[in-house]
Amino acid sequence: MSHSTLNRLCVITGATAGIGRASALALAALGFDLVLLGRRQHQGNALQNTLSRRHAIGHFQFVPCDLSSLVSVREAGERIREEHRSIDVLINNAGARFDRYEESVDGIELTFATNHLGHFLLTSLLLDRILGAPNNRIVTLSSQRHRYVAHVKPWLATRESFDRWDVYSRAKLANTLFAFELARRLEQAAVASNAVDPGIVASQFARNNGRVAWTKHIVSSLIHRQLISCARAAQTVVYAAASSETRGKTGKYFYERKEAAPSELALDAGLAAQLWKCSLEWTGLNRKNCPAWPIVGMDLTQKVK
Ligand SMILES: NC(=O)c1ccc[n+]([C@@H]2O[C@H](COP(=O)([O-])OP(=O)(O)OC[C@H]3O[C@@H](n4cnc5c(N)ncnc54)[C@H](OP(=O)(O)O)[C@@H]3O)[C@@H](O)[C@H]2O)c1
């Protein structure tokens, strides 16, 4: 796989574990400078040290960010905006599934807040920095679970309606719809936005639900011979983020370093527009409090035709 050397700075969420960490290691080896977002400072420091030892000329920065908290995402977004004029690649990677109903500090069901809303806000805050970079790309991590959503329901589960798999599947559908809606809205601005299905991966995913739940997930995937390593999953992320083969592609879904078909629902532009509207409302974003949007020169609050 050949990669463009034009890309320089990549911002990646959920960089301290799993697929995000493996992607960070692979991108650093390609010569990227990295802004690593994560919740735990000690893990961020450890990753920074590993990367600096391996790549003496690279620049690696850790920025604390809890994707489930709108205040934390705003703080991280504002800090990155202040310190970086231009971002070549944004990878919306962080994600989690929760076995029980929980709410974020903003009172939003935690799976949806973490996987989708945090990335909606972060991407919006950084858009002008991305727009200014040559060969820019936004990559959002989806999952084959997005295919399990058969019909439209309210986006936010309540304590009563909560079903852990359904809620996770909807959050990954939201990631996919967001990636494609962004591609439509940014087509004129030539910003590429794509979704990646990393496969079923032997990462720390679902570990937050306890060791037993995590071991079950790993063992059942192993039995079905589906499990792949984080390094292999990261190859598709890097393919979308940096390969010359994917340059200029937008609104695509990548799996195993190839273009693949997402579910029909993921291509529903009406549903994507409705999700966009809800996401604006739940993040409280508007033209006045999103410094990137006037600079981008588009009214991202308007529906695309
Ligand atoms: N593993 C799979 O089989 C699989 C399959 C399809 C899609 N995916 C997707 O791939 C992406 C990466 O998952 P993974 O498998 O690498 O899982 P992982 O090993 O659990 O890593 C997830 C990363 O997201 C971070 N994260 C979780 N909640 C966060 C929050 N509130 N704020 C900031 N960061 C947060 C984690 O940070 P902490 O270390 O602080 O928790 C961790 O760095 C996710 O979007 C997931 O949905 C995974």
Side-chain angles (χ1 to χ4, degrees):
M1 181 179 12
S2 62
H3 292 95
S4 162
T5 50
L6 282 176
N7 294 337
R8 289 305 307 150
L9 182 72
C10 173
V11 175
I12 178 162
T13 68
T16 52
I19 302 164
R21 187 175 190 279
S23 303
L25 294 176
L27 288 163
L30 291 175
F32 276 85
D33 291 335
L34 298 170
V35 177
L36 311 154
L37 269 66
R39 287 186 290 187
R40 300 169 220 270
Q41 185 73 45
H42 67 282
Q43 287 182 350
N45 294 344
L47 178 58
Q48 238 180 329
N49 290 340
T50 302
L51 289 165
S52 302
R53 265 199 316 274
R54 289 189 194 177
H55 309 286
I57 54 164
H59 184 260
F60 310 108
Q61 176 188 19
F62 178 73
V63 173
C65 178
D66 181 341
L67 262 300
S68 71
S69 156
L70 297 175
V71 167
S72 176
V73 175
R74 267 212 173 263
E75 281 172 3
E78 275 156 23
R79 179 168 162 197
I80 297 167
R81 287 179 60 75
E82 260 169 40
E83 294 177 17
H84 301 280
R85 304 302 308 163
S86 175
I87 298 165
D88 298 283
V89 177
L90 168 64
I91 303 179
N92 290 322
N93 162 79
R97 177 174 69 72
F98 301 91
D99 278 352
R100 287 186 192 79
Y101 181 85
E102 285 177 64
E103 287 181 3
S104 70
V105 287
D106 306 296
I108 295 166
E109 191 284 315
L110 199 52
T111 323
F112 191 80
T114 305
N115 289 272
H116 171 65
L117 278 186
H119 287 127
F120 179 87
L121 178 58
L122 182 71
T123 307
S124 300
L125 293 172
L126 299 181
L127 262 187
D128 59 319
R129 300 298 194 254
I130 299 167
L131 186 74
N135 188 23
N136 48 31
R137 304 173 188 208
I138 301 170
V139 178
T140 301
L141 271 278
S142 174
S143 158
Q144 61 161 288
R145 288 296 317 182
H146 88 273
R147 300 179 193 285
Y148 288 68
V149 184
H151 56 276
V152 182
K153 277 207 294 206
W155 283 107
L156 294 184
T158 60
R159 194 176 291 280
E160 292 70 36
S161 69
F162 182 80
D163 170 303
R164 61 189 176 141
W165 280 113
D166 184 52
V167 160
Y168 178 64
S169 303
R170 279 171 197 285
K172 297 324 279 183
L173 175 65
N175 285 141
T176 320
L177 286 163
F178 171 57
F180 298 162
E181 180 68 2
L182 207 50
R184 283 187 287 271
R185 287 176 187 256
L186 296 176
E187 203 174 4
Q188 302 299 324
V191 177
S193 167
N194 294 298
V196 162
D197 174 355
I200 300 180
V201 189
S203 64
Q204 300 299 310
F205 195 74
R207 193 94 187 233
N208 55 300
N209 297 310
R211 202 171 278 266
V212 175
W214 177 74
T215 308
K216 271 190 193 164
H217 159 72
I218 295 287
V219 170
S220 94
S221 310
L222 263 178
I223 290 168
H224 293 98
R225 294 177 180 274
Q226 290 174 318
L227 207 59
I228 63 169
S229 69
C230 291
R232 178 152 159 212
Q235 286 177 7
T236 306
V237 178
V238 173
Y239 177 73
S243 170
S244 54
E245 287 170 38
T246 50
R247 180 183 294 181
K249 296 204 173 184
T250 189
K252 306 291 183 204
Y253 186 85
F254 297 117
Y255 172 66
E256 285 279 357
R257 282 165 291 141
K258 286 194 194 75
E259 224 175 288
S263 72
E264 251 178 60
L265 215 50
L267 296 169
D268 184 331
L271 185 60
Q274 184 258 352
L275 172 68
W276 190 279
K277 194 163 164 269
C278 294
S279 306
L280 284 176
E281 189 186 319
W282 293 326
T283 53
L285 266 178
N286 57 49
R287 259 160 285 164
K288 291 202 182 93
N289 65 18
C290 188
W293 288 357
I295 304 168
V296 171
M298 277 173 299
D299 189 347
L300 290 169
T301 58
Q302 294 300 309
K303 196 168 175 284
V304 277
K305 303 208 169 56

